[in-house]
Amino acid sequence: MVDRRKFLTTTAAGAAGASIAVPAVASPAIIASNPVVEWRLVSSFPKSLDTIHGAGDTFAKALGEMSGGNFRVRVFAPGELVPGMNAADAVQNGSVEAAHTASYYYWGKDPTFAIATAVPFGLNYRMQNAWMYQGGGIDLMNAFYQRYNIIGFPGGNTGTQMGGWYRRQINAPEDWRGLKMRIGGLAGAVIAKLGGVPQQIAGGDIYPSLEKGTIDAAEWVGPYDDEKLGFSKVARYYYYPGWWEGQAMLHFFINMDKWNALPKHYQAMVRSAATMADIGMMTRYDLQNPAAIKRIAIGGAEPRPFSEAVLEACFKASNEVFDEICAKNADFKKVYEATLAIRGEDYLWFQLAEHTYDTFMMIQQRKGLV
């Protein structure tokens, strides 16, 4: 029989010895496997917008913590190294290692860029995540991005956006005619088809453009950011929903050469850090937007829904734009049709459980019971 006291004493001593020995062997190995890497990340979003710009900070902090401080990312605001709307160009040509930006800012290079962020009457937040993370969306987009020496990972989302700020009312489809509007992505082509004049202007330049009357309307994100930018001071009407952005996914763009030079476990860290930033942005907006829309309304702005006639006209014009692009751009057609499959199936499902539940709870809220 085994002497129980001797067995326990010997086992404890052995365990103690092992716990002392492991760090002496493992620490140098950990240090050697985590080389020092220093990246510059340029953001397309001003520091004043702490939620959307903050995703870049979340990304950098996570990489530093996961690597024991050896993967160092410095985040630069628009204009500090390059203009915000040129972030992808700087990554492509290797001027910087990474960027935090909206893929649809570069739709002028190829309309396919727009799909990774948002297209009119496209996917909502849940659908976009399902397509990107489980439906092959990340791989489809990266096969496209490689032509531009870029690899991209989801890096934040705003959810469904507001329809923007207007100095005059939009009551009928005809009211788009001649309207000079700051609007990003492929939605600009739809506005043009409706008779408007789209303008692509960086976030920090929207307010003075509205104030001076250089533009008649502008869309940005939603209540929390729009309040910070002060749009209610220079435009009265706040329309919804942002039919061109049922969600808006941002991305971390990384130079392909810099990506390929990373150790595999550093690449895994980048993916994880991007996902943390992606999830964190949406949760912050969901927490902050409700109070912001109340303050905006109390302050005198007029939130208004687009009429059914306006939305129908926009939907028709959007589909015409998509048909025209698909007819001459095989990349766009391939990726866009992949999103349509997700949209069609998920709306069938969402009508059952989620929509029914949300509708019931909203009715209870109107009764003052929620």
Side-chain angles (χ1 to χ4, degrees), residues 160-165 221-229 231-232 235-242 284-305 365:
T160 305
Q161 295 193 3
M162 291 290 283
W165 295 87
V221 175
Y224 183 70
D225 282 352
D226 292 3
E227 181 186 34
K228 280 179 171 289
L229 293 174
F231 296 149
S232 62
R236 177 178 177 181
Y237 304 107
Y238 196 24
Y239 278 91
Y240 60 90
R284 288 189 68 190
Y285 274 126
D286 279 344
L287 190 66
Q288 295 161 333
N289 277 330
I293 190 62
K294 291 178 183 177
R295 291 192 297 267
I296 286 171
I298 292 171
E302 295 186 26
R304 294 188 173 202
Q365 184 182 51

Side-chain angles (χ1 to χ4, degrees), residues 156 160 176 188 191 208 226 237-238 266 280 331 348 360 363:
T160 305
W176 294 109
I191 292 295
D226 292 3
Y237 304 107
Y238 196 24
Y266 268 30
D331 288 326
L348 285 173
F360 174 80
I363 291 171

Side-chain angles (χ1 to χ4, degrees), residues 48-233:
S48 59
L49 302 180
D50 57 296
T51 298
I52 198 165
H53 177 91
D57 296 327
T58 298
F59 177 76
K61 181 181 179 184
L63 283 175
E65 290 175 348
M66 285 189 280
S67 65
N70 285 354
F71 199 149
R72 304 163 188 170
V73 178
R74 293 180 62 195
V75 181
F76 294 88
E80 291 182 342
L81 291 182
V82 298
M85 304 301 281
N86 297 116
D89 301 310
V91 174
Q92 181 181 352
N93 63 34
S95 299
V96 297
E97 292 77 16
H100 183 230
T101 188
S103 185
Y104 70 3
Y105 286 164
Y106 314 101
W107 79 280
K109 298 175 182 288
D110 188 307
T112 311
F113 272 98
I115 303 174
T117 298
V119 296
F121 299 99
L123 307 183
N124 68 16
Y125 172 70
R126 296 250 317 261
M127 294 173 189
Q128 182 80 358
N129 276 358
W131 174 58
M132 277 285 181
Y133 288 106
Q134 301 296 329
I138 292 176
D139 293 337
L140 267 176
M141 289 308 306
N142 278 330
F144 168 76
Y145 290 145
Q146 281 183 5
R147 300 178 193 178
Y148 297 86
N149 198 33
I150 286 171
I151 187 169
F153 300 102
N157 208 306
T158 65
T160 305
Q161 295 193 3
M162 291 290 283
W165 295 87
Y166 299 76
R167 295 164 67 94
R168 64 174 190 253
Q169 297 181 38
I170 304 295
N171 295 320
E174 295 75 26
D175 293 332
W176 294 109
R177 294 176 187 167
L179 186 85
K180 293 176 292 183
M181 182 175 185
R182 183 276 173 195
I183 190 164
L186 193 56
V190 179
I191 292 295
K193 184 169 281 290
L194 292 163
V197 184
Q199 308 284 318
Q200 188 150 298
I201 302 172
D205 298 325
I206 299 173
Y207 182 95
S209 298
L210 266 177
E211 185 179 36
K212 295 174 185 176
T214 307
I215 55 177
D216 306 306
E219 62 83 33
W220 180 241
V221 175
Y224 183 70
D225 282 352
D226 292 3
E227 181 186 34
K228 280 179 171 289
L229 293 174
F231 296 149
S232 62
K233 299 175 184 177

Side-chain angles (χ1 to χ4, degrees), residues 262-330:
L262 290 178
K264 292 298 182 183
H265 70 292
Y266 268 30
Q267 291 181 350
M269 289 181 192
V270 169
R271 291 190 187 94
S272 296
T275 301
M276 290 174 65
D278 187 29
I279 296 171
M281 183 187 293
M282 187 72 261
T283 55
R284 288 189 68 190
Y285 274 126
D286 279 344
L287 190 66
Q288 295 161 333
N289 277 330
I293 190 62
K294 291 178 183 177
R295 291 192 297 267
I296 286 171
I298 292 171
E302 295 186 26
R304 294 188 173 202
F306 286 122
S307 70
E308 194 74 15
V310 166
L311 291 175
E312 290 283 357
C314 295
F315 185 70
K316 180 176 181 293
S318 297
N319 287 331
E320 291 173 358
V321 168
F322 297 143
D323 289 343
E324 292 166 5
I325 296 174
C326 285
K328 57 187 178 183
N329 188 316

